[in-house]
Amino acid sequence: MTRTVPGRTDHVVVVGAGLSGLAAALHLLGAGRRVTVVERDASPGGRAGRTIRGGYHLDTGPTVLTMPHLADEAFAAVGDSLAARVDLVPLHPAYRARFADGSTLDVHTGAEAMEAEIERFAGAREAAGYVRLRAWLERLYRVQMRRFIDADFDSPLQLFHPDLARLAALGGFGRLDARIGRFLHDERLRRVFSFQSLYAGVAPERALAAYAVIAYMDTVAGVWFPRGGMHALPRAMADAAEDAGADLRFGQTVTRLERSGERITAVITDSGRIACDAVVLTPDLPVTYRLLGRAPRRPVGLRFSPSAVILHVGTDRTWPGLAHHTISFGAAWRQTFRELSDHGRLMSDPSLLVTRPTATDPGLAPPGRHLHYILAPCPNTAVGPDAAEWGELGPRYRDSLLTELERRGLDGIAAAVEEECLVTPADWQAQGHAAGSPFSAAHTFAQTGPFRPRNLVRGTVNAVLAGCGTTPGVGVPTVLLSGKLAAARITGGARPGRPRPAVREPQERRPV
């Protein structure tokens, strides 16, 4: 039996209106709770925020949306639906991969299309390997989802279930890169199906093969983009929560928690006091633990994921070789991960994610203009340059990124820039993200599943955590689940008898 919050839980305060907080709020509302959401920013979104520069609408956080049915679950909790609130466009291809040798591969989520693309790219043997890999990814997802991802943990003993043996039989406790190599021999293809472990903060050669489930989400389940940008999702969730009766309070910073014994009795903001029966805390772990006045004891301190430099550029032109999402791989691979995680150095030959949201929604830029989002993994401030160093390092690294993209075929990109916004680990750290990383605690074995910081903290019986630092982890799908799991700790999973639409994926549209 999973632990739940004891006593009255009629009024719940959710701290933070990011994806996890909004998901928690919707699930709580659906279970009949009165909900107040407190957010320090002037609008919802958290990491999935929005900045407008010179008519360019910049998503400040994630750009890849997978598993949208998990967002639909949150809307459905209040009798609403994702499809009624957000116009989702399926991306075809989901990604385009460009390699240092000049070759390109379009990553399709349809089985037949991807098999044909791999046969064109690397031959029949690799295409046959992809078919086997896809079947393995599907089995891996089915075994993990309900038992190990969409689940609250109170003890490692909960791992002992027949699905654990099934996961072991699938090779889930081996190394990701080696497991992918059993299906694909072409190193370029192995990168396409293993780079996703970087989302979890671990290099493919060190990550558990179980984290290939992220590759399932990216390369099998499908990738979507909301019209209006990724920020359209939290905006719609906030609107649905408000329509369902939530009290949304923006521009208020939580300064402390008032308590009586082990119970939180009120949330204190810079605008006043909000009495509560329970609280959901979504800030990054150090901020949450500071509010609670204690941090769980761990034999070894938390290890945080590498960070990222993000360069948003609004340009007067674009480049035909770019898809909506393009991964530009450098020639180096393993050594760059060692540079990031072990040596605290910038990648000498970076692999970059270039997102062009105006490929799908031209309205995100002024007429005739284009928006590009360039993400470069970099060391976090615990192992690499500290926040102060990024003041000088950031502009120089910006120039080197544009130079590298020019070298890789984006001729004239530096001269085409009209508006820009550079985000470095110093900016993430200023926002309260530990070690200057927006990806929180890395998914090492000792920080995964029941070993990850739990969403219940000893010494406080009615506070529940949500967000990427706790169960189940980093990424849009898992953060949405964290809000659902936090709500279940408070409600016990019970829901009143309000009508709920069927949970389903949005209807697929033709690419635009």
Side-chain angles (χ1 to χ4, degrees), residues 272-352:
R273 178 182 184 273
I274 309 170
C276 63
D277 299 311
V279 63
V280 175
L281 300 169
T282 72
D284 214 22
L285 290 174
V287 177
T288 288
Y289 292 151
R290 187 164 61 249
L291 288 171
L292 290 172
R294 65 179 300 160
R297 291 190 297 271
R298 297 179 65 90
V300 178
L302 285 174
R303 174 183 164 191
F304 290 91
S305 298
S307 185
V309 169
I310 298 174
L311 176 61
H312 304 266
V313 291
T315 61
D316 60 11
R317 58 168 295 194
T318 190
W319 293 264
L322 295 177
H324 185 110
H325 295 298
T326 300
I327 308 165
S328 176
F329 289 104
W333 187 238
R334 289 180 175 83
Q335 80 178 52
T336 60
F337 301 130
R338 288 191 287 271
E339 288 169 347
L340 286 178
S341 300
D342 298 341
H343 306 306
R345 296 198 301 262
L346 295 172
M347 293 181 292
S348 56
D349 186 13
S351 291
L352 308 171

Side-chain angles (χ1 to χ4, degrees), residues 264-464:
I264 305 299
T265 56
V267 173
I268 311 300
T269 77
D270 53 8
S271 298
R273 178 182 184 273
I274 309 170
C276 63
D277 299 311
V279 63
V280 175
L281 300 169
T282 72
D284 214 22
L285 290 174
V287 177
T288 288
Y289 292 151
R290 187 164 61 249
L291 288 171
L292 290 172
R294 65 179 300 160
R297 291 190 297 271
R298 297 179 65 90
V300 178
L302 285 174
R303 174 183 164 191
F304 290 91
S305 298
S307 185
V309 169
I310 298 174
L311 176 61
H312 304 266
V313 291
T315 61
D316 60 11
R317 58 168 295 194
T318 190
W319 293 264
L322 295 177
H324 185 110
H325 295 298
T326 300
I327 308 165
S328 176
F329 289 104
W333 187 238
R334 289 180 175 83
Q335 80 178 52
T336 60
F337 301 130
R338 288 191 287 271
E339 288 169 347
L340 286 178
S341 300
D342 298 341
H343 306 306
R345 296 198 301 262
L346 295 172
M347 293 181 292
S348 56
D349 186 13
S351 291
L352 308 171
L353 172 64
V354 181
T355 294
R356 184 167 63 105
T358 44
T360 304
D361 187 353
L364 295 172
R369 298 301 190 260
H370 307 271
L371 183 58
H372 302 85
Y373 166 113
I374 302 153
L375 184 150
C378 70
N380 64 42
T381 57
V383 299
D386 63 23
E389 292 177 83
W390 275 103
E392 179 183 350
L393 178 59
R396 287 194 284 112
Y397 193 51
R398 173 260 188 208
D399 292 344
S400 70
L401 287 175
L402 292 179
T403 299
E404 183 62 23
L405 288 171
E406 295 247 11
R407 192 184 66 80
R408 296 184 188 186
L410 273 61
D411 300 324
I413 185 171
V417 174
E418 293 186 333
E419 291 283 347
E420 66 180 277
C421 178
L422 179 68
V423 183
T424 74
D427 298 297
W428 302 122
Q429 189 162 307
Q431 293 176 32
H433 301 320
S437 172
F439 307 113
S440 195
H443 282 264
T444 60
F445 179 79
Q447 296 178 177
T448 294
F451 308 112
R452 195 162 183 80
R454 295 182 195 165
N455 56 10
L456 293 179
V457 179
R458 288 181 182 176
T460 307
V461 297
N462 65 334
V464 188

Side-chain angles (χ1 to χ4, degrees), residues 62-243:
T63 62
V64 179
L65 177 61
T66 61
M67 311 293 284
H69 70 277
L70 297 176
D72 196 36
E73 284 186 4
F75 286 102
V78 295
D80 210 322
S81 75
L82 175 64
R85 296 276 184 175
V86 181
D87 182 13
L88 289 186
V89 180
L91 298 183
H92 302 294
Y95 294 93
R96 175 166 294 150
R98 300 177 64 173
F99 299 93
D101 63 3
S103 60
T104 63
L105 172 80
D106 281 352
V107 179
H108 300 284
T109 52
E112 292 182 3
M114 191 59 186
E115 182 182 358
E117 176 69 355
I118 289 180
E119 183 168 357
R120 176 200 67 79
F121 179 79
R125 185 180 74 160
E126 295 297 276
Y130 161 74
V131 173
R132 297 194 304 274
L133 171 62
R134 185 183 177 98
W136 178 74
L137 290 172
E138 290 172 340
R139 293 196 301 272
L140 192 72
Y141 172 77
R142 288 195 297 270
V143 166
Q144 287 193 77
M145 188 59 181
R146 291 300 170 191
R147 179 59 52 181
F148 304 116
I149 299 175
D150 189 3
D152 276 319
F153 286 98
D154 293 322
S155 165
L157 296 177
Q158 289 174 252
L159 286 174
F160 292 99
H161 181 275
D163 280 343
L164 183 68
R166 296 185 184 102
L167 182 58
L170 287 169
F173 297 107
R175 295 302 173 192
L176 175 61
D177 184 63
R179 178 57 56 169
I180 298 297
R182 293 192 176 198
F183 301 99
L184 301 170
H185 299 89
D186 189 300
E187 185 191 5
R188 298 167 299 173
L189 291 175
R190 289 170 66 170
R191 293 186 188 187
V192 167
F193 290 95
S194 64
F195 82 88
Q196 295 86 353
S197 69
L198 284 179
Y199 297 157
V202 187
E205 65 186 42
R206 297 179 181 176
L208 292 176
Y211 280 101
V213 72
I214 311 175
Y216 167 86
M217 296 175 184
D218 272 8
T219 67
V220 176
V223 177
W224 280 261
F225 185 72
R227 290 197 188 277
M230 285 290 288
H231 181 68
L233 177 58
R235 178 74 268 174
M237 294 174 73
D239 290 344
E242 187 169 39
D243 288 349

Side-chain angles (χ1 to χ4, degrees), residues 492-503:
R495 300 186 184 279
R498 68 171 68 202
R500 295 177 59 194
V503 175

